């Protein structure tokens, strides 16, 4: 089995390295979980930002089989960080491994190029304390080293057609950005965390579906702010993987008709020629990935409850709150 193949066993055996607990760990209520792979310098920058937060929340870093000395650098510079090494690349499932190692009621997620604004985690804790049905807070996102630019995703989340409901603190959504989310640990684990069939890229929508299916709400709360400071461009092949995962998500949770239409649209795009050659190549790559993973998706298939399916259709009708078109995903 390669690292990029579906593996419902999840995390598997892992090693951990734990130094002295950070100041305030005994009364911390939120743990920050970070996944990383071969981006040592970006990760160290993120850990510096997290260490400067009020109360210095405990941090769990899951190293997805880096080969650039990430583990050694973290152990040397941040011995208080719990470093978990599964020994292979788990993709987004690495976050679930981190959540299992957390010992706080809430977990916030950062990637190796994102962090939280001061006060953001305390704001999320208040929201989760005050709204027992709230399972995940979809934060607003600021972009750049200084966090001055607003991510267009914020407007999409705020305009979700699902609107607001009594007893919830923000607009209901069926999508979010993984590195800008704070979850109730109980809810995350009940929903099963991120799914190994999709592995990585656009994985958030499936988790949002599963949280809602378990009775937990996902809400956009703009007062909780994460900063995304990406270095370099989009990794090669990401668009194809996101298209693949949008189709796989349909096979995992949506009616057969929806899944067939998504697959047919992807197949039609894959057959195009001429001026759209690049898009056709991406579609063919995505389609190959769907066919490789489809048996695992069918084995894990579980239809959404009627009320969640209805919400998914409402979101798709407005192309908002999902919060990207189905072929793109969020992330």
């Amino acid at each position: 089995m390669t690292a990029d193949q579906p593996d419902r066993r999840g995390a598997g055996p892992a090693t951990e390295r734990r130094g002295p607990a950070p100041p305030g760990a005994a009364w911390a209520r939120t743990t920050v979980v970070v996944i990383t792979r071969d981006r040592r310098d970006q990760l160290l920058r993120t850990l510096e930002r997290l260490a400067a937060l009020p109360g210095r929340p405990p941090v769990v870093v899951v190293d997805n089989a880096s080969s650039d000395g990430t583990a050694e650098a973290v152990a040397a510079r941040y011995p208080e960080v719990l470093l978990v090494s599964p020994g292979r690349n788990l993709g987004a499932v690495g976050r679930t491994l981190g959540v299992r190692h957390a010992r706080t009621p809430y977990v916030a997620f950062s990637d190796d190029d994102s962090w939280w604004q001061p006060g953001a985690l305390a704001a999320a804790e208040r929201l989760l304390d005050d709204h027992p049905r709230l399972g995940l807070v979809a934060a607003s996102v600021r972009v750049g080293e200084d966090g001055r630019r607003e991510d267009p995703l914020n407007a999409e989340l705020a305009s979700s057609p699902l609107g607001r409901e009594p007893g919830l603190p923000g607009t209901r959504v069926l999508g979010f950005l993984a590195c800008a989310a704070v979850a109730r640990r109980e809810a995350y684990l009940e929903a099963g965390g991120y799914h190994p069939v999709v592995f990585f890229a656009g994985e958030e929508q499936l988790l949002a579906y599963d949280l809602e299916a378990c009775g937990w709400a996902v809400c956009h709360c703009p007062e909780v702010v994460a900063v995304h400071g990406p270095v370099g461009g989009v990794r090669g092949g990401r668009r194809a993987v996101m298209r693949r995962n949008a189709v796989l998500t349909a096979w995992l949770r949506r009616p057969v008709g929806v899944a067939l239409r998504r697959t047919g649209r992807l197949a039609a795009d894959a057959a195009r020629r001429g001026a759209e050659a690049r898009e056709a190549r991406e579609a063919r790559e995505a389609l190959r990935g769907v066919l490789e993973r489809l048996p695992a998706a069918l084995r894990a298939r579980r239809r959404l409850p009627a009320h969640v399916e209805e919400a998914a259709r409402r979101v798709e009708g407005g192309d908002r709150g999902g919060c990207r078109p189905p072929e793109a995903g969020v992330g």
Side-chain angles (χ1 to χ4, degrees):
M1 176 177 295
T2 65
D4 193 42
Q5 287 179 320
D7 181 3
R8 200 52 180 165
R9 293 173 303 176
T15 62
E16 66 175 68
R17 181 181 298 167
R18 187 192 299 266
W27 55 85
R29 306 187 65 235
T30 301
T31 297
V32 182
V33 173
V34 186
I35 59 170
T36 189
R37 185 168 189 258
D38 288 334
R39 299 211 294 188
R40 178 187 59 194
D41 294 341
Q42 293 96 312
L43 174 64
L44 293 176
R45 177 187 63 162
T46 289
L47 293 179
E48 181 180 8
R49 299 277 190 159
L50 295 176
L53 290 176
R56 292 195 66 179
V59 176
V60 177
V61 169
V62 180
D63 178 22
N64 275 330
S66 294
S67 59
D68 64 351
T70 288
E72 294 79 7
V74 171
R77 192 173 301 185
Y78 296 99
E80 72 278 9
V81 166
L82 173 56
L83 179 67
V84 181
S85 301
R88 59 192 176 93
N89 183 9
L90 296 176
V93 177
R95 297 190 184 103
T96 304
L97 181 58
V99 171
R100 289 176 181 152
H101 279 79
R103 294 295 178 265
T104 53
Y106 307 136
V107 284
F109 298 97
S110 291
D111 286 347
D112 47 29
D113 60 359
S114 70
W115 51 89
W116 294 92
Q117 280 195 348
L121 300 184
E125 290 170 0
R126 289 192 293 271
L127 292 169
L128 290 160
D129 285 346
D130 294 342
H131 301 87
R133 187 178 148 223
L134 181 61
L136 185 142
V137 172
S140 60
V141 183
R142 308 294 297 181
V143 181
E145 186 75 21
D146 54 11
R148 291 184 180 180
R149 290 186 289 122
E150 186 165 343
D151 193 305
L153 174 64
N154 298 337
E156 296 182 39
L157 293 167
S159 62
S160 167
L162 301 181
R164 299 177 70 107
E165 289 186 6
L168 294 175
T171 305
R172 283 185 59 219
V173 293
L174 285 178
F176 55 93
L177 191 63
C179 67
V182 184
R184 193 181 302 273
R185 183 175 182 271
E186 173 192 4
Y188 180 96
L189 292 176
E190 182 182 350
Y194 289 104
H195 203 291
V197 168
V198 298
F199 192 72
F200 196 72
E203 69 273 16
E204 299 93 341
Q205 187 176 65
L206 180 56
L207 177 57
Y209 285 167
D210 288 346
L211 284 163
E212 290 278 346
C214 290
W216 300 101
V218 180
C219 291
H220 173 51
C221 303
E223 62 267 44
V224 181
V225 182
V227 180
H228 188 203
V231 176
V234 177
R235 292 186 178 185
R238 182 175 175 86
R239 283 175 54 87
V241 173
M242 292 184 75
R243 293 203 68 181
R244 177 198 77 186
N245 287 344
V247 174
L248 288 170
T249 295
W251 281 109
L252 282 160
R253 296 291 182 265
R254 305 296 302 280
V256 170
V258 172
L260 286 172
R261 286 194 296 273
R262 299 274 173 84
T263 307
R265 190 181 310 150
L266 182 60
D269 289 347
R272 290 180 180 175
R273 296 290 187 270
E276 298 170 323
R278 182 180 67 84
E279 290 79 2
R281 286 195 300 271
E282 287 179 347
R284 286 194 290 273
E285 183 180 349
L287 185 59
R288 282 194 298 271
V290 169
L291 296 177
E292 289 171 356
R293 292 167 180 257
L294 187 56
L298 293 176
R299 287 194 299 272
R301 178 173 167 78
R302 185 175 71 246
R303 281 284 304 275
L304 294 174
H307 72 283
V308 184
E309 175 60 30
E310 192 274 334
R313 291 178 182 271
R314 287 173 59 193
V315 165
E316 289 167 5
D319 275 345
R320 298 170 297 168
C323 282
R324 301 274 194 247
E327 291 80 4
V330 177

